[in-house]
Structures are given as C-alpha cells and as structure tokens.
Amino acid sequence: MKKLLLALLAIASFGIANAQQYALYGTKTMFDAFENPSQKSFTLDSSRKFSSNFFLPYFGTNAANKGSSEFAVRKLAQEGVFDTRSLPIGTGEVNHFFENSNIYLATFRLFKSYKYQEEMGFSWQIRSDAHVDYTNETLAIFDSFERFDSNKLYTGIFDTKGYQQSYHQLSFTYRENWNKRLAFGLKASVLSGILYNKLNIYDSKLYIDPETDALLIGLNGTYSANFSDFNEINKKTFFPNFKNPGLSFGFGTNYTTKKGLFLMANIKDLGFIWWRSNTQHTTIDQSKTIENIENNQSNTNQKIQDIFLQAEEPKKFLAPTNAKFDFFMSKSYGFYKPALAVSKNLFYKGGDVAFVNTFIVNDFSGSVTPLYNLNGVFMVGLQGKYQTPNFELFMGTDNLVSTGYQTYGLIKKNAYTGRGPNGASFYMGVGIKFGNVVNHPQFADIIPGINDKSDGDGFFKSLFSIFRRK
C-alpha cells in the first residue's frame, strides 16, 4: 500500500506522464492525424507517400499534484526525503493527484487515394491514466504514527479514492474527405493491459493507546489490482502479451466553413480492458490492532499493508478506458492562428479547456497555451515546431512554470525551489515522410486512387449510402 501510493506520487512529481498537447491539434502532424483520426497529414504535390517516426521519440509527459501535501511531495521528489511534518493532521483534507501518458513507440502512415484524400495509419502506443484523491493522514501514517495524538479517536482520515491503468494500444486509423469541406475518420485498437489498481476507502478510523503501546486502525472499502506488490513487476510486465486483452474505438469529423473556420470533434478511446491475469478484488471490512509500535515504524507499515494482502480474492473484471470527447476550433489570421480546445473525460474525472495562440513564420511556429484543467489546476504551455511537407520536429510543455521549478529543484536538490501545485510536462516528436511524391493528377502519371482498384466511392460514402434516397 505504501509503495503503491508513494510510487504514484513520485510519478506525479517527476512528471512522467502525458498531456493532450493541444498546440498540435490542427497542424497536420502525424500526432494530429493519429490522435484526431479525421485529420489529414499529407499535402498534394509536396508530401511523399509514406510517413513514420522510425522509432524516434514521439511522446509527451504531464502530471500534477494539488493540495496541502505539495511541499511533502516536492521534498520527496527533489531531495529524496519522505517527511510529512509539514502536513496538517486531523482535518481529513483531500489532495488530488492525476496523470496520463501517451507514448508512440512506432507509427506508419500512407496516402491511399487522391479522390477522397484517403489515408491509412498503423501505430503502437503505451498509454496510462491515473487519478487519486488522498488525505494528508494517508501519507503521514506511513511516515510516523507519532504525528497522531494518543487517546484520540480519528474518523474518516484515511478515506482515499483513485485508480491507475496502463496498457498497450495497437491501432489502425483511416480517414477520408466527404467533400472539400467535410471529412471523417476512425481509429480501431486492440489493447493489452499492463498495470491496473483501483482503491476506494470510504470509512476509516484510528486510535493510539499509549498505555498498551498499540495502534487500532479500521478500514472499510474495496481494492482491485493485477498485482499484489511492486516486487512482482519486472521487465516482462511491460511487453504486450494480451493476457489482459481489450478493445477501443474512436471516431472523428472535421469541417471547414467558407470563411475559413476549422471545426473538429472526436470521441476518443471508447473501450474496455478485461483484466483476468493475476487479478484480485479485495473487500476490506476490518479493524486491526498493531502492538509494539514504539520505534517500530516499518512493522506498523507492513501490518497496514497486510490488511489488503490477507483479504485478497482472485477475480476477473472489466475496466473502461479513459474515453474523451474533444472539440476544437481555429481560424488563421495571417501569421496568427488562435484556437479553442475543450476536452472532457467520459468515465473518469477531469478535462481541459485550452486557448491556443500560434504564431507562424515560414516553416517555424511557436505556441502559447493557457490551459485550465477541470481538476482545478491552471497551466500555461509553450511549444516550438519546425514543419515542412516531409519533416516535422516539435517540442513543448503544457505546464511551463511548474516544469521549470521542478527541473531546477531536481538539479539543486532543494525542496524550497518552487511553489504551488507539483507538476511537470514535456513532449516532443520527430516524423519523416518518404517514398514517391503525392502529386495532383495534372502533374503526375500515376496517382493513388485514379484508374486503380480503389477508384469508386470512399469507405464513409459507401457506409452512409444506406441513407440515400433511391
């Protein structure tokens, strides 16, 4: 239990997670096309037919921790010291930690047909999502029980709720134009679960008896996971084996008005994972007396962990993926392109509202993105991008201030560097196009989709033809 919670908080502090990277929306990069399946990434008469990241870095990171535990978490991350003396005890104050990650290990995309601007893509991603609401006392009890007053009954102070889920995602994407202004796209994926744990403590109590040198702790709740202890996790855990299989589906569309307003909407990663390998579901309803607690913190920690381990029951279960609904709109005014992005999680807490300000000079662009996360965190992002029809290189952060503080604090190993919510964010990507140039019919002898087997209605034209009048 201690290892699980501290590992999650350490991840948040170091920022090893992903953000939505809204400044890349509407850019026709590979990231844009894979994340927003109706988007195209090839340019006629300029782009080559195939694109890939060639296993080069294509990832993003973002995480945050908010609440009165900020200094304790910062000290753990930047100095490597677990010290909860700064935390107020007995109030049941709740802290919030969240993260999500999206790492593209391999991508391949091709231009299929000129007629409907058809594109197909294949990708291998690793994704992770987490959200934990935890109390100060949940941290403090693993540091020192002496933080708590003797002969006093505490109630509700360990009430904690949260989840973490990570998995491989192997995807196929397809997009096509309906006409010159409207486009559709889909993304179908098979999933292979890596790690899952979900905790819900809804009733708790603590009493320390100084006369008997004993501690009474009571917990009521549930816990589900596909591992019992972090010692079970090794390198093999992170390879796709489909012992915990799943499916997800995404669908998107975009439309450009006559006045140049670009509108895009997506349902992303709507699916589930069937966790069935080494899985457990624990129902906790017990009080435990821990004796000989004086100068024996490690034994106290182990006894608390045993409450969960001794109640384990093998059980398979389904868990939904972190599906989202995205809406994006933008319009160019010369070198300046403002955009509004709204994203809302469908099954879990959280979402974002971002205002992207992009400034474009030839093949270079820079973006400044104020963003409000619906978990109550305000961030400002910064991005730089170099993009030609056959090459893309971008780098940025969705949380500039916290990332700067966190990086400087790690270098100086000083917990007093930085203030406000813990957090860090970083993303980058390199994409290359190769093969023959995708030419317009007026300038080429061979055009994909002209006078070949793909000549005819596109996929979505054929799919929606059932609604046409005969």
Side-chain angles (χ1 to χ4, degrees), residues 310-323:
Q310 294 173 358
E312 287 182 358
E313 294 181 4
K315 185 177 182 180
K316 303 174 183 178
F317 53 86
L318 288 176
T321 54
N322 190 14

Side-chain angles (χ1 to χ4, degrees), residues 59-78:
F59 70 95
T61 68
N62 183 49
N65 179 72
K66 182 183 179 183
S68 57
S69 67
E70 290 166 4
F71 180 78
V73 172
R74 186 174 291 112
K75 192 166 187 176
L76 173 64
Q78 296 176 187

